[in-house]
Amino acid sequence: MADPYVVDVPLRWSDMDAYGHVNNVQYLRLLEDARVIGFREWFPGRPALLDEGIVVTRHAIEYRAPLTYRPEPVEVAMWVTSVHGAGFDLGYVVRDPAGVGEATYAVAETGLALYDFATSRPRRLEPQAREQLAAHTGEAVAFRWTRR
């Protein structure tokens, strides 16, 4: 099992809602930012999966603590939880970076499918992509509200 990929993602003032904390919808942007940065590093020397066509099939987020806006970024840890014929699932933990605090704000999982926009059909994962994803494989996300 590989260590999670970790990236700092900045917060934006506009992420806050009327209650003064980062809105739940904005967490999807934080996860997306982590994916975009991570995929460019996970797949060096070839077009990233993002450039070849990929779509989100599902999200699951469990919020653990309110996150208020601050100038320091949040840390997003990301790893592969499963790989299947035309896609894979990613797990995440959104938390304070070292030196900022010790809070965990959310755990999440995203389902992704490779997609050919020209034919409007899913496409299979290539063996090389499977190998690269295998290097980032870890445990299932530890949601409190499921039996995983």
Side-chain angles (χ1 to χ4, degrees), residues 34-50:
R35 279 194 311 275
V36 169
I37 294 166
F39 287 176
R40 301 245 184 249
E41 292 186 27
W42 288 9
F43 301 97
R46 62 175 284 211
L49 290 178
L50 296 172

Side-chain angles (χ1 to χ4, degrees), residues 3-148:
D3 289 333
Y5 173 81
V6 176
V7 61
D8 287 346
V9 178
L11 299 173
R12 299 180 309 183
W13 180 260
S14 60
D15 292 343
M16 274 193 305
D17 63 16
Y19 300 111
H21 63 270
V22 173
N23 186 275
N24 67 85
V25 173
Q26 296 304 323
Y27 277 82
L28 296 177
R29 184 191 58 80
L30 296 173
L31 302 179
E32 179 182 56
D33 288 350
R35 279 194 311 275
V36 169
I37 294 166
F39 287 176
R40 301 245 184 249
E41 292 186 27
W42 288 9
F43 301 97
R46 62 175 284 211
L49 290 178
L50 296 172
D51 299 331
E52 296 168 353
I54 192 166
V55 294
V56 172
T57 59
R58 67 179 179 79
H59 287 296
I61 302 175
E62 182 177 280
Y63 302 99
R64 299 273 176 95
L67 173 59
T68 56
Y69 173 80
R70 63 184 188 212
E72 296 83 18
V74 291
E75 178 182 279
V76 178
M78 180 177 80
W79 65 97
V80 176
T81 60
S82 72
V83 178
H84 41 89
F88 54 97
D89 298 331
L90 294 176
Y92 314 86
V93 175
V94 180
R95 61 186 173 219
D96 284 328
V100 172
E102 297 179 5
T104 295
Y105 299 103
V107 296
E109 189 172 65
T110 298
L112 298 160
L114 286 91
Y115 197 76
D116 183 335
F117 289 102
T119 64
S120 298
R121 299 189 52 83
R123 57 188 177 80
R124 306 294 284 174
L125 269 169
E126 298 172 1
Q128 181 183 9
R130 283 181 179 281
E131 288 177 24
Q132 290 166 308
L133 290 169
H136 301 283
T137 300
E139 300 276 330
V141 176
F143 290 113
R144 291 179 181 163
W145 47 266
T146 63
R147 293 185 181 177
R148 294 209 251 180

